[in-house]
Amino acid sequence: VGYRVRGASAISKGTRIEVVTEGILTRMLQDNADLPGIGAVIFDEFHERSLNADLGLALCLEVAGALRDDLMLVAMSATLDAAPVAALMEAPIVTSEGRSFPVEDRWLDRPVGKQRFDHAIADLVLKALSETEGSALVFLPGEGEIRRVERLLNGNAPSDCTVAPLFGAMDFKAQRAAIQPAKQGRKVVLATAIAETSLTIEGIRIVIDAGRARRALFDPPSAMSRLVTQRVTRAEATQRAGRAGRVSDGVAYKLWTRGEEGALAAFPPAEIEVGDLTGFALELALWGARPGDLSFVTPPHEGRLAEAQG
């Protein structure tokens, strides 16, 4: 088993399984479209619907139809709206229930109201720690919120609890320390969405979901992308809650009421709907295709693509 990411790789003639980023897959397709030596391409966590994942699947479908009728394509996810993807791929849906433990959902009795967000989530963390056992994983939108909640918990959390932040900009050593099980007592990991699917943290039996996600949205007037904090979708909330059931029965605390859950969107938007399409347009030009020539789960908006091409 080897890997290939931007700037680093560990592969050899004996490599049978190669784990790559979606951007690397696009480069591999552009360099050698028939993917010599590769028998199957698996798109894991496809529900994240990154621009490179959508583009990579579209390119692979064309390769499979024109050059490699033996190429196997698989899209995998725990929370994907599978029917449209299966129809596009003309593939069956195979379901595996797995062996997750039951997770009890607990909502607020009343909306947060005017209480400051950082204080509301810190109070919910303390409540969860007092009512349940095990370590906790807290989902927050970004580093700023993580640092503020960390300050509120330090000195107020039970003495046997270690508070550990976890976000993408941290150095590797600090990230490893955050995901290691607590050597003694309990651990409270304050994490961004990086912990939804990419990492497994041992000992987690409690999830506290702040109910917010930070997304990069393209702003056409300024021709720039900006980070926007939005409510999580039901699919994201389900994915987060499931982290509490990896090792034993768990509990998922949510910073919203049960009534508010009905107003959540079902799935997050695909990046092809809200992201900057400039790089996407360049990849299409290099491939020598127009959007209509390829099969996309969600086709790009014609006007925004034309603006990116211009």
Side-chain angles (χ1 to χ4, degrees):
V1 178
Y3 69 87
R4 195 185 313 191
V5 297
R6 185 176 181 179
S9 65
I11 56 176
S12 70
K13 292 181 179 179
T15 301
R16 298 297 302 276
I17 301 171
E18 188 174 338
V19 183
V20 303
T21 62
E22 293 150 348
I24 292 294
L25 173 63
T26 301
R27 293 270 58 77
M28 293 169 67
L29 287 160
Q30 295 281 22
D31 292 342
N32 216 333
D34 61 346
L35 296 176
I38 294 174
V41 179
I42 300 174
F43 294 86
D44 193 20
E45 306 294 0
F46 192 71
H47 67 272
E48 295 180 358
R49 297 293 308 281
S50 73
L51 201 51
N52 278 324
D54 276 14
L55 177 61
L57 179 59
L59 298 182
C60 282
L61 285 170
E62 181 169 63
V63 168
L67 301 173
R68 290 282 311 277
D69 58 2
D70 63 325
L71 184 65
M72 181 183 294
L73 301 178
V74 182
M76 301 197 306
S77 168
T79 58
L80 177 68
D81 183 11
V85 182
L88 180 76
M89 299 175 67
E90 298 181 359
I93 298 174
V94 180
T95 302
S96 173
E97 296 296 338
R99 293 169 54 188
S100 61
F101 293 89
V103 176
E104 177 190 351
D105 291 321
R106 295 184 185 179
W107 293 270
L108 298 180
D109 295 328
R110 59 182 65 87
V112 173
K114 295 182 179 180
Q115 185 181 16
R116 287 184 56 184
F117 170 77
D118 303 333
H119 290 268
I121 191 65
D123 288 346
L124 186 58
V125 172
L126 296 175
K127 173 181 169 67
L129 292 173
S130 69
E131 294 179 346
T132 54
E133 298 179 351
S135 294
L137 174 60
V138 186
F139 283 101
L140 293 159
E143 179 184 354
E145 292 85 354
I146 286 174
R147 292 302 188 191
R148 290 192 291 272
V149 173
E150 181 184 18
R151 287 194 292 269
L152 291 171
L153 291 177
N154 283 332
N156 292 309
S159 58
D160 66 337
C161 287
T162 301
V163 180
L166 178 62
F167 49 90
M170 293 172 60
D171 65 74
F172 184 67
K173 183 178 180 181
Q175 289 190 29
R176 285 186 63 88
I179 66 177
Q180 292 298 319
K183 294 181 179 179
Q184 58 182 8
R186 310 162 78 186
K187 175 176 282 190
V188 179
V189 181
L190 307 178
T192 60
I194 190 176
E196 275 184 28
T197 56
S198 303
L199 301 168
T200 295
I201 304 172
E202 295 183 36
I204 297 298
R205 296 180 59 186
I206 312 165
V207 162
I208 300 102
D209 189 351
R212 299 186 183 183
R214 191 152 290 154
R215 314 187 199 283
L217 303 182
F218 183 67
D219 181 41
S222 65
M224 296 181 67
S225 293
R226 57 192 177 93
L227 289 175
V228 177
T229 303
Q230 298 179 330
R231 295 294 300 271
V232 295
T233 63
R234 290 196 297 274
E236 289 169 311
T238 299
Q239 186 83 20
R240 293 177 177 189
R243 311 306 283 185
R246 286 297 184 93
V247 295
S248 66
D249 295 2
V251 183
Y253 288 81
K254 305 183 179 187
L255 194 67
W256 62 89
T257 65
R258 191 164 192 168
E260 290 176 302
E261 181 136 335
L264 299 179
F267 298 95
E271 189 180 359
I272 200 170
E273 298 176 280
V274 297
D276 182 3
L277 297 182
T278 304
F280 175 80
L282 289 170
E283 295 291 354
L284 286 181
L286 182 59
W287 189 258
R290 295 169 298 181
D293 299 332
L294 301 174
S295 300
F296 291 99
V297 179
T298 304
H301 186 274
E302 292 184 4
R304 292 185 53 243
L305 182 59
E307 185 175 327
Q309 291 169 329

